Amino acid sequence: MITADPPVAVRLLSFGYAHGRPVPDAHIVLDLRAHFGDSPESRDPDRLVSETDGLPELVEGVIPVLAAYRSGSGSCDGPVVVGVGCADGRLAAAVAATMQRQMDNGLVLVTVEHRHEGVPCGP
């Protein structure tokens, strides 16, 4: 768990590579295409993430990485930006929504932007 005072600000940007927009400028970019597939059947992001081999570990693994970025001695005053991408954006939206729910707790302040239109991103 990240512990920070003041709270760590995190900005999650989900996107689809197939939409032709550039990859967002981010500290970390998670490219889900080759390892996790596309076009999820489930519309429940938490269930989709929990039932896809490797995704729960990926989401959990990002948390200490965010803490490392915030503890660096650089002069970054803004949020740590994480891009989450897949081919069409649906899986990325589910991962970003799950990450937000798991991290947004007062110690980590999370905002999410979905950079693809018409993509369901949660309940």
Side-chain angles (χ1 to χ4, degrees), residues 55-118:
L55 279 181
E57 294 82 4
L58 180 68
V59 169
E60 285 295 319
V62 169
I63 294 172
V65 173
L66 296 172
Y69 269 89
R70 291 309 296 168
S71 66
S73 62
S75 60
C76 179
D77 292 328
V80 177
V81 180
V82 180
V84 184
C86 68
D88 65 10
R90 290 185 286 179
L91 180 60
V95 169
T98 299
M99 290 173 68
Q100 179 182 30
R101 279 189 291 284
Q102 290 187 7
M103 292 189 295
D104 199 4
N105 61 15
L107 298 174
V108 182
L109 305 176
V110 182
T111 60
V112 176
E113 176 185 336
H114 300 289
R115 294 188 154 193
H116 37 276
E117 296 183 16

Side-chain angles (χ1 to χ4, degrees), residues 20-90:
R21 297 175 79 181
V23 175
D25 187 20
H27 297 96
I28 304 163
V29 175
L30 304 175
D31 183 345
L32 307 177
R33 293 176 295 179
H35 298 282
F36 301 105
D38 296 309
S39 302
E41 296 298 322
S42 173
R43 298 241 184 243
D44 176 4
D46 288 326
R47 184 172 169 206
L48 174 64
V49 171
S50 69
E51 293 177 358
T52 301
D53 291 340
L55 279 181
E57 294 82 4
L58 180 68
V59 169
E60 285 295 319
V62 169
I63 294 172
V65 173
L66 296 172
Y69 269 89
R70 291 309 296 168
S71 66
S73 62
S75 60
C76 179
D77 292 328
V80 177
V81 180
V82 180
V84 184
C86 68
D88 65 10
R90 290 185 286 179

